[in-house]
Amino acid sequence: MADQPLLNTYGRLPIVFDRGEGPWLYDVDGNRYLDSFSGIAVCGLGHAHPTVTRAIQEQSARLVHCSNLFHTRIQQTLADKLCQVSGMDGVFLANSGAEANEAALKLARLYGHQRGIHSPAVIVMDQSFHGRTLATLTATGNRKVQAGFEPLVSGFIRAPFNDLDAIAAIARANPNVVAVLAEPVQGEGGVNVADPAWLQGIREICDHQGWLMMLDEVQTGNGRCGACFAYQAYGVEPDVVTTAKGLGNGFPIGACLARGEAAQVFQPGHHGSTFGGNALACAAASAVIDTIEQDNLLERARTLGARMRARLQAAFEDAPYVRDIRGLGLMIGIEMNAPCAELVPLAKTQGLLLNVTAERVVRLLPQLTLSDGEADDMVDRVVRILRLHAADDRQAPRSPRPDAPQTP
């Protein structure tokens, strides 16, 4: 199918999907593909989950949209559930992860101005990803995302991921810092898992300096890492946390949550959204939270993630082309020893939808609802494809070339 009327913003594979069911997607020709990354961590409950579908259907017959100048019961219900599962005091509802992160960055700047800091700065991490709006791509630690969009937004100081000394050094040299923004697990950056001591150290520095600790859980939230939010597995509590992807199981919604003093920063007029907190989105997200709890999917994410990583580690124990296997819950990264973008079209031929990030990391973000058999099937397919790729002659150009004959 030609997509000429669409702007050329995506490198799409030549597949036209028609429907989804659980971990499977079906194209218009009836071919079935196993989706190993859930629409990049969005459909955590699987495609077309019946509870979410029913919630959207019922809400659509009752109320689709209402201005945020008024209250709705479904929005209040969702806000209550989000605060309950997160331990936060208040929530701003947006349409996406980028918008949720924009809200967090605006909150941090306002927090700084309210403390007399006129040029507030936020510490962000190398290899991070926070979105594609101007502010969030500036916060992102990937030059490829920023290139061509200068001038970027000022007010960010970058630090290496998992380097507490660097943050302490920034604290000593920069009196304008008001917040730290980090991901507990960097998804787009290559499934880089935060060291618990690093996150706990950030909490201590923020407490000492009067900074806000802000966590981007757009990808790690909603059970993905075996807890409602990944920070709960680390034993730290941020002042601000954002989430989105899995919250609506495919229906667009994002959230910026805050607690304590941070929850009092925004006042009427400081921020807003026309569609954020839309009744349909709130109904979908409310159904997702209920399903995660009722089906015990947090425990499922922990056990399933451990099962899949153990099988992958056993399969690639002596494989020279696999550098590392890491992750938390159902965020799994397989780091190859060379760029491996060719794996994506190769996986397609084997009925598997695969994602490669940071050039050489296979990122698995499977559904929390997988059966053991489906999880094993996914691992088997990944193992088969990686082994096929390693033995394929397309690897030859990436191998060191033999030395050229010496001229006498």
Side-chain angles (χ1 to χ4, degrees), residues 247-313:
L247 183 56
N249 204 53
F251 204 101
I253 184 170
C256 174
L257 299 103
R259 72 177 178 91
E261 189 177 353
Q264 306 304 316
V265 170
F266 280 150
Q267 297 299 318
H270 283 148
H271 199 46
S273 170
T274 297
F275 295 109
N278 173 281
L280 288 187
C282 289
S286 183
V288 168
I289 293 173
D290 289 345
T291 302
I292 289 173
E293 181 179 359
Q294 290 165 8
D295 293 354
N296 197 22
L297 294 181
L298 302 182
E299 172 65 20
R300 184 63 181 157
R302 292 192 290 269
T303 57
L304 204 55
R307 178 190 182 98
M308 295 179 74
R309 286 198 303 277
R311 295 191 74 236
L312 288 166
Q313 285 161 350

Side-chain angles (χ1 to χ4, degrees), residues 175-260:
N176 289 340
V177 172
V178 296
V180 178
L181 175 64
E183 299 159 280
V185 182
Q186 292 184 328
E188 190 74 11
V191 193
N192 304 313
V193 182
D195 184 333
W198 181 67
L199 276 186
Q200 291 158 7
I202 290 177
R203 178 69 274 174
E204 292 173 6
I205 291 175
C206 287
D207 288 341
H208 180 72
Q209 297 288 340
W211 298 348
L212 298 178
M213 180 180 185
M214 307 199 302
L215 295 181
D216 177 346
E217 297 231 24
V218 168
Q219 189 164 139
T220 54
N222 309 296
R224 170 60 55 190
C225 293
C228 287
F229 290 86
Y231 65 80
Q232 294 164 331
Y234 282 88
V236 298
E237 192 172 22
D239 302 293
V240 179
V241 62
T242 59
T243 191
K245 286 179 176 291
L247 183 56
N249 204 53
F251 204 101
I253 184 170
C256 174
L257 299 103
R259 72 177 178 91

Side-chain angles (χ1 to χ4, degrees), residues 112-113 116-120 176:
H113 280 282
I117 298 174
H118 300 296
S119 297
N176 289 340

Side-chain angles (χ1 to χ4, degrees), residues 68 92-107 129-137 216 218 240-244 252-257 266 271-278:
N68 278 312
F92 173 80
L93 293 170
N95 301 294
S96 67
E99 286 189 33
N101 284 335
E102 282 275 352
L105 294 170
K106 285 183 67 176
L107 189 155
F129 182 83
H130 299 295
R132 295 183 186 278
T133 65
L134 270 178
T136 57
L137 73 83
D216 177 346
V218 168
V240 179
V241 62
T242 59
T243 191
I253 184 170
C256 174
L257 299 103
F266 280 150
H271 199 46
S273 170
T274 297
F275 295 109
N278 173 281

